[in-house]
């Protein structure tokens, strides 16, 4: 199995790169248009409270895509559109940030979008964006195929800033 490593991009080109990247979301696994299957994280304690608060504040539309149900239904997951933009709250810290892991890199790609710092990982046919420097991690996955990635992140930033405090 091939390990996908992120590309290191200087901060000075990260924002322009994100503006040019075309991404949309992952469709449901069976292509039926039914609720997308998302592995629901199981945050505990304070993190679970942040995720419940975030779930209540998430927008009805992200990048013009309507919010839809996920399978399983969870306060830790959300999706918009078909193909989907997918969000998971309370996920573990990405391995790329864990010293000693095979995926660890000292300078991962990141960008700040509307006051939220995101780790950027290219993973095959999609991008994974994970918040950093927040009291719990929020992950957003979008496909490379059609929508600028920054639009989804811009639309989610307000709810994240309001409900998931800055800090580690």
């Amino acid at each position: 199995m091939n390990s996908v490593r992120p590309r290191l991009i200087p901060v000075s080109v990260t924002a322009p790169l994100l503006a040019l990247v075309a991404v949309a979301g992952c469709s449901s696994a069976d292509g039926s248009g039914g609720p997308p299957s998302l592995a629901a994280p199981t945050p505990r304690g304070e993190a679970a409270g942040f995720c419940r608060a975030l779930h209540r504040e998430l927008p009805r539309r992200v990048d013009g895509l309507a919010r839809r149900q996920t399978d399983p239904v969870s306060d830790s997951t959300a999706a918009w559109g078909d193909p989907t933009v997918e969000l998971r709250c309370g996920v573990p810290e990405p391995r790329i940030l864990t010293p000693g892991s095979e995926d660890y890199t000292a300078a991962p790609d990141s960008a700040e979008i509307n006051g939220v710092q995101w780790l950027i990982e290219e993973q095959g046919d999609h991008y994974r964006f994970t918040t950093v420097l927040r009291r719990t991690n929020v992950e957003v996955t979008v496909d490379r195929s059609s929508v600028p990635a920054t639009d989804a992140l811009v639309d989610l930033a307000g709810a994240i800033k309001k409900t998931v405090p800055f800090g580690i």
Side-chain angles (χ1 to χ4, degrees), residues 10-150:
V11 174
S12 61
V13 298
T14 301
L17 173 67
L18 285 177
L20 297 174
V21 172
V23 295
C26 300
S27 62
S28 59
D30 62 5
S32 68
S37 295
L38 291 174
T42 53
R44 304 226 183 273
E46 185 179 68
F50 297 144
C51 291
R52 280 191 302 276
L54 175 60
H55 197 264
R56 288 189 299 268
E57 292 294 324
L58 288 171
R60 295 174 50 90
R61 299 188 81 72
V62 168
D63 193 30
L65 303 171
R67 189 159 172 190
R68 56 189 297 200
Q69 185 174 332
T70 59
D71 180 27
V73 174
S74 169
D75 284 344
S76 297
T77 62
W80 295 264
D82 185 13
T84 58
V85 171
E86 299 174 346
L87 177 144
R88 298 183 332 127
C89 181
V91 297
E93 182 173 87
R95 290 173 38 155
I96 192 170
L97 297 177
T98 306
S101 79
E102 70 180 50
D103 295 330
Y104 178 73
T105 180
D109 296 340
S110 67
E112 182 178 298
I113 299 173
N114 283 6
V116 177
Q117 187 73 29
W118 297 92
L119 169 71
I120 306 164
E121 297 175 274
E122 293 182 50
Q123 298 191 322
D125 63 351
H126 67 276
Y127 286 94
R128 180 171 64 190
F129 301 92
T130 308
T131 59
V132 293
L133 304 175
R134 295 275 162 185
R135 299 287 297 272
T136 195
N137 298 318
V138 178
E139 173 188 282
V140 176
T141 304
V142 290
D143 191 272
R144 293 176 178 260
S145 65
S146 66
V147 181
T150 55

